[in-house]
Amino acid sequence: MSTVLVVEDEPDIALALRVILERAGHDVMVAPDGRQGLRVLHESHPTLVLLDIGLPVIDGWMVLERIRDVSDVPVLLLTAHGMEADKVRGLRGGADDYLTKPFSTSELLARIEAILRRTEQTGGSSQTEVYDDGVVRMDHRSRRVFVNGAEAEVNATEYRLLSTFVQHKGAVLSPRQLLNLVWNDPTGIGADRVKFAVLRLRRKLGWSADDSPIKAARGMGYRYDVPKS
């Protein structure tokens, strides 16, 4: 059974979310502000976080940043305005998905189920235990990544993204394909999610757009070219 941490300052909304999630079979913890949310996160290690942006004490943006400093727990943002800038900022900051208030119970549960499904994925049984091209080394047993011998810290989504690239090295993968393979989202909606995830992955692996083996194929997608060691 999954445990969902709801960080929401409006009592009526927090109660409604608790009821919905508990009826769907989840354990639920509720924190009324960002500071308490971070404390519960560190103490209880939830499976997923529902994070409201407009929080008192510490706003949702800062909470998301602090979560991503220490954890790759999936985060579903709850936004009040639905402004594109907020959605872009959330994806760029490491959120896994977002919902604009008001939202339906069915959409909320569907997005949570999709996030949990892709979190549980192991990347495929066809993988060898270790991938090594002389520059990038991925140990699928320990789920660790090394670049030129130095370990790079990546979260679960970034690990799946890199694993997908190296499994399809030399092939151009469209945003729709990546959304399906990495995020288990066959709709193809949300190409910005792919763009920002690639930017974060490059940065964490110490690459710029120019020297990265993850190349952008203009108008088509991305491909991984095996680097020269």
Side-chain angles (χ1 to χ4, degrees):
M1 182 181 294
S2 62
T3 300
V4 179
L5 169 59
V6 176
V7 189
E8 169 62 64
D9 64 309
E10 296 187 33
D12 290 345
I13 295 178
L15 177 59
L17 290 171
R18 178 189 285 277
V19 171
I20 291 168
L21 294 169
E22 288 181 343
R23 285 179 177 173
H26 302 286
D27 285 333
V28 181
M29 300 176 292
V30 176
D33 61 56
R35 181 171 295 154
Q36 292 189 51
L38 288 169
R39 184 171 67 247
V40 174
L41 174 77
H42 295 315
E43 293 173 351
S44 303
H45 305 290
T47 314
L48 180 142
V49 177
L50 285 185
L51 176 62
D52 182 37
I53 293 302
L55 293 171
V57 185
I58 303 175
D59 70 19
W61 301 120
M62 182 62 71
V63 174
L64 177 61
E65 181 179 339
R66 293 188 182 181
I67 288 174
R68 282 294 167 256
D69 284 341
V70 298
S71 174
D72 61 4
V73 63
V75 176
L76 174 56
L77 291 181
L78 306 179
T79 65
H81 306 295
M83 296 175 61
E84 182 178 359
D86 284 349
K87 296 175 182 178
V88 169
R89 184 178 178 184
L91 292 172
R92 183 175 288 162
D96 294 81
D97 206 345
Y98 52 82
L99 266 177
T100 302
K101 301 175 184 177
F103 45 80
S104 68
T105 297
S106 58
E107 183 179 12
L108 171 66
L109 294 178
R111 288 180 184 266
I112 288 175
E113 289 166 7
I115 291 172
L116 294 178
R117 273 199 310 272
R118 60 186 180 247
T119 300
E120 292 167 0
Q121 289 178 334
T122 61
S125 58
S126 62
Q127 288 180 320
T128 58
E129 290 186 341
V130 176
Y131 169 85
D132 193 338
D133 59 26
V135 173
V136 173
R137 176 182 173 86
M138 302 186 71
D139 187 329
H140 296 303
R141 296 163 298 187
S142 62
R143 302 185 72 78
R144 298 168 71 188
V145 176
F146 300 84
V147 178
N148 293 320
E151 186 168 4
E153 296 293 334
V154 297
N155 64 32
T157 299
E158 292 157 353
Y159 188 93
R160 289 195 301 273
L161 180 58
L162 180 59
S163 180
T164 299
F165 277 131
V166 301
Q167 286 182 68
H168 299 84
K169 51 185 176 290
V172 174
L173 298 174
S174 69
R176 178 182 289 273
Q177 288 174 305
L178 289 167
L179 283 167
N180 190 23
L181 292 168
V182 180
W183 285 270
N184 194 30
D185 181 356
T187 66
I189 299 172
D192 280 346
R193 184 186 306 173
V194 175
K195 179 175 70 174
F196 295 133
V198 169
L199 290 173
R200 288 195 303 273
L201 178 60
R202 284 173 173 161
R203 184 173 65 247
K204 287 192 175 183
L205 300 183
W207 297 328
S208 67
D210 293 333
D211 64 16
S212 171
I214 302 173
K215 303 294 185 184
R218 187 178 298 274
M220 295 184 289
Y222 300 90
R223 74 174 185 274
Y224 180 85
D225 292 338
V226 176
K228 297 178 181 180
S229 55

